[in-house]
Amino acid sequence: KAGVTQTPRYLIKTRGQQVTLSCSPISGHRSVSWYQQTPGQGLQFLFEYFSETQRNKGNFPGRFSGRQFSNSRSEMNVSTLELGDSALYLCASSLAGQGFGYTFGSGTRLTVV
Amino acid sequence: AQRVTQPEKLLSVFKGAPVELKCNYSYSGSPELFWYVQYSRQRLQLLLRHISRESIKGFTADLNKGETSFHLKKPFAQEEDSAMYYCALVNTDKLIFGTGTRLQVFP
């Protein structure tokens, strides 16, 4: 079956702009999580959605937001981009979250210039 | 606070040598721990879950609650094991990752 799909793969944006990233989970998976990966901070949790509800949120500013649709697809939005937002953004899906293991997508590489 | 520590940024061994990637955690309660691996230019993928007590690609990991450790071991390293390895802890539906250890296996 198809894995976790993230689009786009690469993105270049200018400071101050906003961006939307998309994630399609594995069919049947209802939990979608987002992570930011940077060389300096490593892998950091952004938020997790289950059945269209945000269940958990990491320590990121309010500029980072997300949502999940009824088909479990999820989007992540970052407004007023800063240079420090340049990172690989990873999406992970799971049947129901904790305890079921998480499958990761290839990520979206965001570069802010 | 929940935390995962991987003390080694880089571990270099020769093919056929034993490997141990260290992972220590801080967690109040019964932890659920994973090892993830990221090969060059590939996505992050699950290697092991502690509750499964399985061996994948010759790797094993045992949870030691007394020492709060979940070290990853393989008796004989292969060149194809060269990758970035991350230890992770699950806490209320989020993964807390360690900083990762790069394993280099030389021929």
Side-chain angles (χ1 to χ4, degrees), chain B residues 7 10 20 23 34 40 51-52 54 56 67-68 76 85 95 98:
Chain B
L10 174 66
E20 183 178 54
C23 171
F34 299 83
S40 179
I51 60 173
S52 302
E54 57 202 342
I56 303 292
E67 295 182 359
T68 59
F76 308 103
Y85 291 81
L95 284 165

Side-chain angles (χ1 to χ4, degrees), chain A residues 66-77:
Chain A
R67 59 178 176 168
Q68 186 180 34
F69 302 95
S70 57
N71 61 358
S72 293
R73 190 178 71 84
S74 177
E75 286 183 349
M76 189 191 104
N77 185 276

Side-chain angles (χ1 to χ4, degrees), chain A residues 3-4 33 35 37 43 45 48 55-57 90 96-102 104-106, chain B residues 27 32 34 36 38 43-46 49 51 86 90-99:
Chain A
V4 178
S33 306
Y35 293 81
Q37 186 176 25
L43 284 150
F45 172 78
E48 189 254 356
R55 288 199 300 194
N56 214 334
K57 191 176 190 305
L90 296 173
Q98 183 167 341
F100 289 86
Y102 299 85
F104 282 82
S106 298
Chain B
Y27 185 77
E32 183 164 0
F34 299 83
Y36 278 85
Q38 192 167 32
R43 63 183 67 190
L44 199 60
Q45 54 188 283
L46 179 66
R49 299 172 58 187
I51 60 173
Y86 294 94
V90 169
N91 177 31
T92 55
D93 301 300
K94 68 181 179 186
L95 284 165
I96 299 170
F97 285 92
T99 49

Side-chain angles (χ1 to χ4, degrees), chain B residues 43-76:
Chain B
R43 63 183 67 190
L44 199 60
Q45 54 188 283
L46 179 66
L47 182 63
L48 283 178
R49 299 172 58 187
H50 93 269
I51 60 173
S52 302
R53 301 188 64 81
E54 57 202 342
S55 173
I56 303 292
K57 299 185 179 183
F59 284 98
T60 59
D62 289 319
L63 178 62
N64 185 323
K65 290 187 178 180
E67 295 182 359
T68 59
S69 69
F70 187 56
H71 302 329
L72 183 67
K73 299 177 184 178
K74 185 169 183 176
F76 308 103

